[in-house]
Amino acid sequence: MITAIVLIKTDVDRIPEIAESIAALEHVSEVYSVTGTYDLVALVRVARHDDLADVIPGRISKIPGVARTDTHVAFRTYSQHDLEAAFSIGLEG
């Protein structure tokens, strides 16, 4: 299983709506609202690396209100504490 951490910059007035749209996508396991440079963090879990292109640029980037995504691919599962430490963010959800 491959886990991708997707950092998402959005239209701040639409964060709850955008988070809900992302959470509804196949392969998205969690979505957090964050403080800092980004507005949302999504965890995407896929079986094959090739599947990431379908989920991230193929779907997340096309949601209205998503301004930018940055992706970090990992081969392990991250805890909330790991994410907060690695990206200097405060998870709110």
Side-chain angles (χ1 to χ4, degrees):
M1 185 64 66
I2 300 167
T3 299
I5 300 163
V6 185
L7 304 171
I8 304 158
K9 186 70 180 160
T10 68
D11 176 346
V12 295
D13 295 331
R14 298 179 59 203
I15 289 173
E17 170 192 345
I18 294 167
E20 188 175 313
S21 295
I22 293 170
L25 294 174
E26 183 180 5
H27 302 296
V28 174
S29 62
E30 300 168 55
V31 177
Y32 297 99
S33 177
V34 298
T35 55
T37 305
Y38 296 92
D39 302 310
L40 297 169
V41 172
L43 298 183
V44 176
R45 292 192 170 93
V46 294
R48 298 176 324 126
H49 192 271
D50 294 345
D51 295 335
L52 288 175
D54 181 47
V55 178
I56 298 164
R59 295 186 188 156
I60 291 177
S61 296
K62 293 180 180 175
I63 292 174
V66 171
R68 185 177 88 227
T69 63
D70 291 321
T71 306
H72 301 271
V73 178
F75 296 92
R76 58 168 282 208
T77 301
Y78 286 89
S79 69
Q80 180 173 330
H81 178 267
D82 292 336
L83 291 171
E84 288 175 339
F87 298 104
S88 300
I89 56 176
L91 298 178
E92 299 172 359

